[in-house]
Amino acid sequence: MVTATSEIHRWTREEYERIVETGGFEGWNVELIDGTLYDMTPQTSRHAGLTAKISGVLTEIDPGEHLIRHHSPLAVPGDSLPEPDLAVVPPDPAGDYYVSAHPTMAVLVVEIADSSLRYDRAVKVRAYAQAGIPEYWILNLVSWQLEVHRDPSGNGYGKRTVLGLGDEISPLFAAGETIRVSRLFPRTA
């Protein structure tokens, strides 16, 4: 008797981008993390609204120094092309707002998490840490807390701090500025 074996196809970022450019994933809502395609959860109005709200807060403390990208690919090392809810990235050296290529670094990445909380804590945290992103925030809508990850290393972050609505955060990229955590959340549950 012959038994069939099945293999898992590990995608390279180059393969993934080539298929994206040809429209091969048209209608799919996926992102590439460590060679694996993951389905992304659809955005609710709350999620989309909070993305805009947090972007506005970050723009207030950093007017023009960096670019704040929403739901856009980040070409981190390895076979990953995550699409964080927000990424604060340096200005494009080419001066064209990353029209020619996705940014390869961010100074801060923010994920807004309710149904995606486990994924953001387990899968995304590893991808961002491996990329050397100095700061990763998870806006935890389940517990109404801000999870702040700093000190990236191989598979995670060395420091994790959980902040409540009454606390303040000073982002590493704007160390002299503080944000009251409650400003990042919706006004009501």
Side-chain angles (χ1 to χ4, degrees):
M1 172 187 280
V2 176
T3 58
T5 61
S6 60
E7 297 289 324
I8 296 173
H9 178 80
R10 307 265 318 154
W11 294 85
T12 66
R13 190 170 65 224
E14 292 75 21
E15 287 174 324
Y16 177 78
E17 287 184 303
R18 195 169 42 250
I19 292 172
V20 167
E21 288 176 12
T22 63
F25 291 122
E26 190 70 33
W28 293 31
N29 194 18
V30 295
E31 65 185 338
L32 180 69
I33 306 289
D34 196 27
T36 302
L37 291 180
Y38 287 91
D39 288 321
M40 294 173 27
T41 56
Q43 282 192 47
T44 62
S45 60
R46 179 168 81 159
H47 192 111
L50 286 174
T51 300
K53 181 178 185 174
I54 295 166
S55 177
V57 170
L58 294 175
T59 299
E60 286 176 20
I61 65 168
D62 184 48
E65 292 292 314
H66 296 85
L67 297 175
I68 299 175
R69 293 169 48 98
H70 307 178
H71 308 290
S72 299
L74 189 58
V76 298
D79 290 322
S80 296
L81 196 63
E83 296 186 24
D85 291 323
L86 287 160
V88 180
V89 301
D92 182 5
D96 70 354
Y97 293 87
Y98 296 101
V99 171
S100 303
H102 298 302
T104 58
M105 180 44 113
V107 295
L108 170 66
V109 168
V110 180
E111 295 289 358
I112 300 167
D114 41 25
S115 62
S116 66
L117 184 58
R118 289 174 64 190
Y119 174 66
D120 293 334
R121 281 180 174 162
V123 176
K124 289 272 191 104
V125 72
R126 211 171 41 250
Y128 297 142
Q130 288 173 345
I133 295 170
E135 189 166 26
Y136 170 41
W137 293 357
I138 299 174
L139 192 77
N140 180 337
L141 296 176
V142 176
S143 302
W144 282 63
Q145 296 172 322
L146 180 65
E147 300 177 17
V148 179
H149 299 265
R150 292 179 172 166
D151 299 328
S153 64
N155 285 325
Y157 284 85
K159 187 175 179 184
R160 178 180 177 262
T161 306
V162 178
L163 302 174
L165 297 176
D167 294 323
E168 293 184 335
I169 180 73
S170 183
L172 294 177
F173 76 92
E177 301 290 335
T178 58
I179 302 167
R180 188 158 187 86
V181 171
S182 61
R183 289 191 66 207
L184 305 173
F185 283 82
R187 291 187 187 168
T188 59

